[in-house]
Amino acid sequence: MLYINGEWIKTGSKGTLPVTNPATGEKIETVAYAGQEETRKAITAAEQAFEYWKKRTAKERSAYLYQAAHYLRQRVDELAETITREMGKPVREAKGETLLAIDYLEWYAEEAKRIYGDTIPASHADKRILVIKEPVGVTAAVTPWNFPIAMITRKIAPAMAAGCTVVLKPASATPLSAINVFKAFDEVGLPPGVANLIIGTASEVVGEMTANPKVRKITFTGSTEVGKQLLRQSADTVKKVSMELGGHAPFIVFNDADLDQAVEGAIASKFRNAGQTCICTNRIYVQEDIADVFGHKMAEKVKALKVGNGLEDQVDIGPLIDRFALEKVEDHVRDAVQKGARILCGGETLVIADAKGYFYAPTVLQGATEEMKIASEETFGPVAPIFTFKDEQEAIQKANHDTYGLAAYCYTQNMKRAFQMMEALEYGIVGINDPIPTTAQAPFGGVKESGIGREGGKYGIQEYLEDKFVSIKLD
Ligand code: NAP
């Protein structure tokens, strides 16, 4: 279903889109599939609604976000099950994601009331300088499948709080979670046109979003490759952009770290969502003298992880999203083994009874080197390659990536070293002895080709605001 100008639309100009469960291969639902025509209508509706929405008081906008959060909170189990069915992550993780998605709505319901401007001392006695904050305007949001609900609220909650109106295109693999968010907006009586949902063909929908001059802001989460394309497409109409793109996180373990905590942390960071998160560890760097014991301990624990349909109890790792994702993981492991890596556990595609999905065994590789594909390309799967380093300087030099700069992790019990590493790592997010840093109140985002802008906390709402400078001459 599409949601345009406050109306549910059950047919799309591009026909229908089947939604399949990646654990079983079964079709679970069919939704309307749209194109340029519907996108244009949604943008026009958002433009008309903007005049009304930007004039609401912060308290009024906040109330809608609170009510939507409340509606979703009553349905956490149902929403989590939908996530698992459409993209595979274990239902326990899906529940965590749903709660995070609600946190974003609540955080920005609060933050709507704290959009402060400035007064600046002027250079002339008869002048006064004000800076006021204004919403950017119609915002087009494009989101990925790996966090099918949290990536949506992380964008549209701050946009709506700031006074922007929104047109969202979710990933085609996961439209059902997006529909669930819009059911909440519909139920709480959000004014028509403030938030619109277009499920549709990427080239047409996003092509219209980037070309249409009525759209003033593009906010995208997805691969670096597509992000670059959207930057190019947005250039002609000089839109404000936020880009949350790919990552290649290093996980550094010094010989002064608590080894058991480091192993637990590496597993949490690497295997969450079957390795399909942008801040998942992609390279583990362990100080030479502890590398063997670290690898052994990690492999012992990883062997115990249960792979299967995320709806089943006790499953730790679900399927990969599709065949292409599975083939990429197979290719990275094959390439690493050919270049000398040793498989400590896993290293194979799994066939699971009663499930036809894309399962890969959680894998630990010892003896990884910089020449392997896995050292520089985003794997997006459950493979943990262990590299070694001699000292801090070498760890920093290897950990900083030429292209990516999203998240990095460091395990040490030496406080001076923790600060030195925090400052030397060229990443937007650094977890010191913390493998899961994401939270609604902190700025999430990357440097280099991992992105532009931040989502979360007081920083996230600035992406949807413009500063207007007003100079007043009194005499
Ligand atoms: P993707 O292929 O770039 O797709 C993301 C979104 O862009 C989807 O809605 C997709 O639509 C759309 N899209 C795809 N090709 C397009 C094109 N040519 N023109 C316009 N739109 C297009 O990424 P993904 O595979 O869904 O997600 C995985 C990537 O996202 C990874 O690289 C990951 O690191 C990154 N990610 C980053 C963050 C972050 O916060 N930095 C968070 C999560 C994920 P369709 O689904 O219809 O193709």
Side-chain angles (χ1 to χ4, degrees):
M1 284 197 293
L2 318 172
Y3 190 72
I4 302 175
N5 207 19
E7 305 268 334
W8 288 108
I9 294 164
K10 294 194 174 126
T11 52
S13 62
K14 299 287 157 188
T16 55
L17 171 75
V19 185
T20 52
N21 181 337
T24 61
E26 283 163 8
K27 188 165 86 175
I28 50 177
E29 193 129 6
T30 301
V31 296
Y33 209 46
Q36 186 180 29
E37 185 186 321
E38 293 95 334
T39 310
R40 210 172 268 168
K41 275 190 196 149
I43 292 169
T44 302
E47 189 200 24
Q48 284 161 1
F50 179 58
E51 290 310 310
Y52 170 84
W53 185 244
K54 73 177 180 189
K55 292 191 184 127
R56 296 309 96 204
T57 64
K59 197 171 174 186
E60 282 173 280
R61 292 199 293 265
S62 168
Y64 286 111
L65 294 173
Y66 267 127
Q67 286 165 28
H70 179 73
Y71 176 93
L72 294 175
R73 205 175 276 289
Q74 306 304 307
R75 293 163 178 79
V76 169
D77 290 337
E78 190 189 313
L79 297 168
E81 195 178 313
T82 301
I83 292 174
T84 301
R85 283 164 45 126
E86 68 178 346
M87 61 71 65
K89 72 175 64 171
V91 77
R92 186 176 64 241
E93 283 186 32
K95 200 167 164 178
E97 186 196 334
T98 306
L99 293 171
L100 179 65
I102 295 168
D103 276 355
Y104 284 115
L105 285 165
E106 286 176 352
W107 173 271
Y108 286 108
E110 291 152 9
E111 201 63 6
K113 302 173 200 164
R114 293 192 279 265
I115 300 173
Y116 303 129
D118 288 307
T119 60
I120 300 175
S123 309
H124 300 271
D126 64 344
K127 280 198 178 191
R128 301 293 181 269
I129 296 175
L130 309 180
V131 179
I132 60 171
K133 300 275 181 182
E134 293 188 336
V136 176
V138 175
T139 294
V142 183
T143 52
W145 51 266
N146 65 340
F147 286 90
I149 193 164
M151 294 303 98
I152 293 176
T153 58
R154 193 161 85 173
K155 292 184 184 309
I156 64 181
M160 285 162 54
C164 296
T165 52
V166 179
V167 180
L168 168 75
K169 191 208 101 59
S172 294
T174 55
L176 305 180
S177 295
I179 290 172
N180 283 340
V181 173
F182 277 73
K183 279 184 185 161
F185 293 146
D186 191 52
E187 281 295 322
V188 305
L190 190 72
V194 172
N196 304 273
L197 170 66
I198 300 287
I199 296 156
T201 147
S203 56
E204 278 200 31
V205 175
V206 185
E208 178 63 25
M209 286 171 158
T210 48
N212 194 318
K214 291 175 184 166
V215 174
R216 293 312 323 148
K217 164 88 192 184
I218 295 276
T219 172
F220 172 75
T221 297
S223 60
T224 295
E225 188 191 350
V226 174
K228 285 181 185 176
Q229 189 185 320
L230 301 201
L231 281 171
R232 282 190 285 268
Q233 286 174 213
S234 302
D236 278 347
T237 47
V238 193
K239 298 189 198 309
K240 197 173 164 88
V241 291
S242 299
M243 294 278 147
E244 294 286 345
L245 309 177
H248 206 281
F251 189 104
I252 304 160
V253 185
F254 284 99
N255 58 11
D256 59 26
D258 177 319
L259 204 57
D260 290 329
Q261 271 185 18
V263 168
E264 289 293 343
I267 292 171
S269 164
K270 175 69 254 183
F271 295 105
R272 194 161 65 106
N273 206 3
Q276 302 172 111
T277 89
C278 51
I279 60 166
C280 267
T281 289
N282 217 117
R283 294 166 286 151
I284 301 177
Y285 292 106
V286 186
Q287 203 154 10
E288 275 175 353
D289 52 339
I290 58 162
D292 283 345
V293 54
F294 181 93
H296 177 72
K297 274 179 180 264
M298 185 166 178
E300 282 311 303
K301 287 195 177 284
V302 170
K303 276 180 205 162
L305 296 176
K306 187 173 174 208
V307 182
N309 184 333
L311 288 176
E312 287 168 19
D313 283 347
Q314 314 303 328
V315 162
D316 300 297
I317 300 188
L320 294 166
I321 189 71
D322 56 27
R323 184 166 53 83
F324 303 108
L326 182 64
E327 283 171 4
K328 185 172 192 191
V329 170
E330 287 172 340
D331 177 50
H332 276 199
V333 172
R334 199 180 312 115
D335 172 78
V337 170
Q338 272 167 10
K339 292 175 181 159
R342 280 178 294 117
I343 296 174
L344 297 188
C345 65
E348 60 186 348
T349 296
L350 294 178
V351 178
I352 294 182
D354 302 329
K356 296 199 188 79
Y358 312 101
F359 297 100
Y360 197 84
T363 300
V364 180
L365 300 174
Q366 191 74 274
T369 58
E370 305 301 317
E371 298 72 43
M372 298 172 183
K373 286 184 186 174
I374 207 162
S376 55
E377 294 175 25
E378 199 180 20
T379 308
F380 238 54
V383 185
I386 300 176
F387 302 72
T388 59
F389 65 91
K390 280 194 196 56
D391 55 22
E392 206 171 298
Q393 261 331 98
E394 194 185 5
I396 294 165
Q397 182 252 319
K398 285 184 163 174
N400 285 333
H401 195 282
D402 288 346
T403 311
Y404 294 116
L406 188 55
Y409 308 90
C410 177
Y411 273 65
T412 175
Q413 300 210 77
N414 176 331
M415 193 155 77
K416 183 176 172 203
R417 172 169 277 161
F419 270 84
Q420 284 170 182
M421 292 303 291
M422 173 187 91
E423 288 164 11
L425 288 166
E426 296 165 2
Y427 289 84
I429 303 162
V430 177
I432 302 284
N433 300 326
D434 181 2
I436 313 279
T438 311
T439 178
Q441 62 269 39
F444 190 104
V447 300
K448 299 182 182 171
E449 294 186 20
S450 285
I452 299 171
R454 294 293 180 270
E455 292 187 331
K458 66 177 184 177
Y459 314 89
I461 203 163
Q462 298 304 325
E463 303 285 333
Y464 301 95
L465 293 166
E466 294 283 15
D467 295 326
K468 182 178 274 180
F469 157 43
V470 184
S471 181
I472 305 167
K473 194 160 185 320
L474 300 174
D475 292 329

